[in-house]
Amino acid sequence: MPLRKTRDFAFSTLLAAALLPLAAAGALAQEAKPREAVVLVTGEGHSSIAPDMAIVTLAVVKQSKTAREALDENSKAMGAVLATLKDAGIAERDLQTSGFSIQPQYNYPNNNNGQPQPPELVGYQATNSLSVRIRDLSKLGSIIDQSVTLGINQGGDIQFTNDKPQEALTAARKDAVADALAKAKTLTDAAGVKLGRVIEISENSIRPAPQPVFRAAMMKDAAAPAVPVQGGENTYDVSVNVTYAIDQ
């Protein structure tokens, strides 16, 4: 090895050896630095508003000897329901088929002789389900009544919701942060220390409270004019985690 390269290598080795203790000392100093004192609290906020929209599930169920007959009867009834809904001002975007099926129907004879009997095909059942968004709640009862009259015979699930809940969510967020601040002040006052700046804040969840729901098995002879329904209120809940510094 040339003399110059040997000297360079030796110098690099000595320099690294000299800097190693300094690096180690810096790491130790970093570890020795006391952690910042903090307080972590969870705040909750709530905001309730009246619903301005309902989502209703309506279904037509028809049975007949053949699948063709069951489908034709079902389609005729559902077509009349859709036409009525559109005449009532329901927009195309608020009407969505949520389920469709054609199922064979069997009769299972009694096994009087102890021997298994094969099932007997007795007909077919056609089911067509429709999800409807009703934005004018004053029409809800009459729409249910008319739909049952025209052939809706299953469904009746109603979920009350809000088309634009942002204002309620904003109010709930503000309440959640205010709740977190109040809790943090209570804790630091009790501990005899001073509350410092916000270090970190995060939102845990936004979850609408359980919606009012109406369930019913709809039959044509059970329908009544102006079906009574109540929307109540929807409550939106927000939870936040906030980390505050403690001033020493």
Side-chain angles (χ1 to χ4, degrees), residues 32-96:
K33 183 180 178 180
R35 290 178 56 192
E36 183 174 19
V38 299
V39 57
L40 173 62
V41 292
T42 298
E44 295 182 351
H46 317 279
S47 181
S48 298
I49 55 175
D52 57 18
M53 183 171 66
I55 301 175
V56 187
T57 301
L58 305 173
V60 174
V61 181
K62 294 293 184 180
Q63 294 183 346
S64 191
K65 290 292 184 181
T66 67
R68 178 76 265 169
E69 291 173 349
L71 178 60
D72 289 344
E73 292 177 15
N74 190 298
S75 298
K76 181 179 179 181
M78 182 56 77
V81 171
L82 287 171
T84 299
L85 291 173
K86 292 175 182 178
D87 289 341
I90 306 299
E92 289 276 359
R93 65 190 178 100
D94 292 328
L95 298 170
Q96 184 177 53

Side-chain angles (χ1 to χ4, degrees), residues 55-63 70 73-82 85 95-101 125-132 143-158 216-220:
I55 301 175
V56 187
T57 301
L58 305 173
V60 174
V61 181
K62 294 293 184 180
Q63 294 183 346
E73 292 177 15
N74 190 298
S75 298
K76 181 179 179 181
M78 182 56 77
V81 171
L82 287 171
L85 291 173
L95 298 170
Q96 184 177 53
T97 298
S98 56
F100 180 84
S101 68
Q125 176 176 285
T127 303
N128 193 344
S129 301
L130 182 68
S131 178
V132 185
I143 285 176
I144 293 175
D145 175 62
Q146 293 176 41
S147 299
V148 173
T149 301
L150 293 170
I152 293 295
N153 54 6
Q154 191 177 90
D157 294 349
I158 301 176
M218 292 183 172
M219 300 302 292
K220 186 175 294 187

